[in-house]
Amino acid sequence: MRNDPIEHLLRALYSAALYLLVPVTVYHLIWRGFRQPEYFQRWNERYAAYGAQAHAETVWIHAVSVGEVGAAAPLVNALLRERPDLRLLVSTITPTGSSRARALWGDRVEHVYLPYDLSGAVRRFLGHYRPRLGLIVETELWPNLLFCCRDHGIPVYIVNARLSERSLRGYRVLRALVGRALRTLRRIAAQSRRDGERFVRLGADRDAVVVTGNLKFDIAVDPRWQASAATFRQHAGTRPAWIAASTHPEEEAAVIAIHQRLRERWPDLLLLWAPRHPERFRPVSQAAIDAGWRVATRRLTRWPDGDDAVFVVDTLGELMDFYACAQVAFVGGSLQDIGGHNMLEPAAVATAVVTGPHLHNFADIARQMGAADALAVCDDADAVGDAIEALLADDERRAAMGAAGLALVEQGRGALARTLELVGRDLPRRPG
């Protein structure tokens, strides 16, 4: 491959195009910074402009944002527990991913933003952090990154790998380049057979693809969740509550309309609202106030009281706690054409789950949950409201749905053990 003239040509064209787009990356950081000020910070990491001192050798895990950090959590926690001798580096791209990584692991791991896929920046990143092994979570196919890892002799795996049909169609524009980059990988640990087949169709070596399952099933049960639910009830009372989680801007009006409708039947119903992105915390709080409701927030009041109609979860890393407080969960990114978010999280605390129709990023999980009668997939916002209303009114069905979801999570565990076994051969040896 290294003597492949077509690879050299494609890499040169790709790199030239990226360097021409550098001003666009600066504009993007500024534009995002006005919405989320953290984007104004740590620009040196975006372009791999580090100090002169190189780091000790690391095991590097890349997780783009909050969802991927959550998927990587069982793996990182296992490495911290079983291999405390390793120096772990977690890279993300978004500030919310960075915040989640810091909340989960603090100083036990290093964190850095992954630089843009400029060949010079990637080489500086690899030279500075000196990874002995790279574990890329889910779907991050940056050609220069993968080629440079190969050129530096760094084995790289994609773990918890997923590739939707939509993503496959998008990557096909660069299939000649991306396919070659995929063939530099040591292994692709796919979530499902369908995901594995899509990677092969994109150009991966069939022998490099292994189905290990979905790490999201290996959610570690935290006693804090039930303790939070008990504290929540002490403050909010025993009234019903539903949660709108990981919502996006185009879903916010639907959440307001659904809550208005549901409160006509249950006047004391509480909405727990956890927008996907921090820049939406304040707008959704104001939207709820404009709707005429009394609103509390996690940062200001910690807990809702008996008179609050809406409680905005304006913190990161506490979503599982509040899934455990609700009778029904609407998981966002599914009414808007985002592709859905992690439906296994509410299932893991036996909360009934409702979504919209756009689930292409979680198609296999949605299929499994649907087959187990642990998920209600709705065609539009009105149908989401119907489903939530029906579940709030039917204790027996709601409990059965929650139990089915919890059982599915328990049955699906095992991807963590298979992934650790797969990558273990390339982990640095234990000292001594």
Side-chain angles (χ1 to χ4, degrees):
M1 285 293 293
R2 297 190 192 192
N3 297 320
D4 179 359
I6 297 178
E7 177 193 307
H8 291 305
L9 175 61
L10 293 172
R11 287 178 68 179
L13 293 172
Y14 172 75
S15 296
L18 287 188
Y19 278 107
L20 289 173
L21 291 172
V22 166
V24 177
T25 67
V26 175
Y27 170 80
H28 172 77
L29 290 172
I30 294 171
W31 177 73
R32 292 300 301 266
F34 285 119
R35 300 169 60 194
Q36 194 173 348
E38 290 84 356
Y39 275 97
F40 284 126
Q41 302 168 6
R42 300 164 60 188
W43 279 21
N44 64 306
E45 296 175 19
R46 305 284 189 181
Y47 300 95
Y50 310 115
Q53 184 177 358
H55 280 53
E57 292 180 334
T58 59
V59 170
W60 160 53
I61 301 101
H62 176 59
V64 182
S65 192
V66 174
E68 291 80 8
V69 170
L75 180 59
V76 175
N77 290 336
L79 291 173
L80 287 170
R81 181 176 62 252
E82 298 176 16
R83 293 294 307 273
D85 57 294
L86 297 176
R87 189 182 186 100
L88 301 184
L89 171 71
V90 174
S91 63
T92 67
I93 287 179
T94 68
T96 50
S98 173
S99 297
R100 184 63 179 135
R102 292 180 188 278
L104 282 172
W105 302 301
D107 294 333
R108 292 186 296 163
V109 305
E110 290 188 73
H111 173 268
V112 68
Y113 287 132
L114 188 73
Y116 291 112
D117 201 36
L118 305 164
S119 56
V122 170
R123 291 190 183 95
R124 290 193 297 273
F125 167 76
L126 297 177
H128 186 75
Y129 287 102
R130 302 167 61 201
R132 291 279 301 277
L133 169 66
L135 304 175
I136 297 174
V137 181
E138 297 202 348
T139 315
E140 275 288 275
L141 308 181
W142 295 110
N144 276 332
L145 181 66
L146 298 182
F147 286 126
C148 287
C149 284
R150 181 202 62 192
D151 296 343
H152 283 71
I154 302 165
V156 176
Y157 294 72
I158 300 181
V159 299
N160 213 47
R162 66 178 174 88
L163 188 65
S164 68
E165 283 290 343
R166 177 178 295 192
S167 296
L168 176 61
R169 289 194 295 271
Y171 278 120
R172 275 181 171 167
V173 176
L174 296 173
R175 187 184 186 282
L177 179 65
V178 173
R180 285 174 166 80
L182 285 175
R183 291 192 287 276
T184 70
L185 294 166
R186 183 66 56 93
R187 289 288 187 274
I188 298 172
Q191 292 184 15
S192 70
R193 181 184 57 79
R194 292 180 180 86
D195 290 300
E197 286 296 327
R198 292 185 194 112
F199 276 101
V200 172
R201 286 159 58 192
L202 190 55
D205 287 328
R206 185 172 293 277
D207 291 343
V209 176
V210 180
V211 178
T212 52
N214 195 328
L215 286 170
K216 288 184 169 75
F217 281 97
D218 287 274
I219 300 169
V221 177
D222 191 335
R224 186 191 73 186
W225 301 338
Q226 295 306 322
S228 293
T231 304
F232 170 83
R233 291 297 164 202
Q234 291 174 5
H235 288 83
T238 58
R239 61 200 176 114
W242 70 288
I243 184 168
S246 298
T247 58
H248 289 256
E250 292 179 21
E251 297 172 317
E252 291 166 6
V255 171
I256 293 285
I258 290 169
H259 194 49
Q260 286 173 327
R261 167 185 161 185
L262 294 175
R263 277 177 65 88
E264 292 177 2
R265 181 167 179 178
W266 295 282
D268 62 344
L269 179 67
L270 176 64
L271 164 62
L272 309 174
W273 197 346
R276 181 69 174 178
H277 297 116
E279 62 264 29
R280 301 308 302 169
F281 292 159
R282 185 172 295 178
V284 302
S285 297
Q286 188 59 53
I289 292 170
D290 292 343
W293 295 317
R294 177 171 162 172
V295 178
T297 72
R298 179 64 168 162
R299 287 184 182 177
L300 289 178
T301 66
R302 300 303 297 164
W303 300 102
D305 65 26
D307 295 324
D308 293 322
V310 177
F311 182 72
V312 177
V313 183
D314 56 350
T315 55
L316 297 175
E318 296 188 299
L319 186 55
M320 291 297 297
D321 299 69
F322 288 99
Y323 274 138
C325 298
Q327 281 76 58
V328 181
F330 164 68
V331 180
S334 58
L335 282 175
Q336 188 175 339
D337 191 11
I338 299 295
H341 293 297
N342 191 356
M343 297 159 279
L344 292 175
E345 291 180 338
V349 290
T351 298
V353 186
V354 177
T355 72
H358 301 289
L359 300 173
H360 51 265
N361 289 332
F362 290 84
D364 193 60
I365 289 176
R367 180 185 58 78
Q368 293 181 61
M369 290 184 68
D373 199 21
L375 175 67
V377 180
C378 305
D379 291 335
D380 54 32
D382 289 339
V384 167
D386 291 342
I388 295 171
E389 182 175 8
L391 287 165
L392 288 172
D394 190 337
D395 294 348
E396 186 175 336
R397 178 167 178 250
R398 191 174 67 243
M401 220 172 148
L406 179 58
L408 186 68
V409 172
E410 293 295 334
Q411 293 164 10
R413 294 183 186 277
L416 175 60
R418 290 187 286 271
T419 302
L420 285 171
E421 181 180 3
L422 184 69
V423 305
R425 69 195 71 177
D426 283 314
L427 285 174
R429 292 184 178 181
R430 296 176 186 270

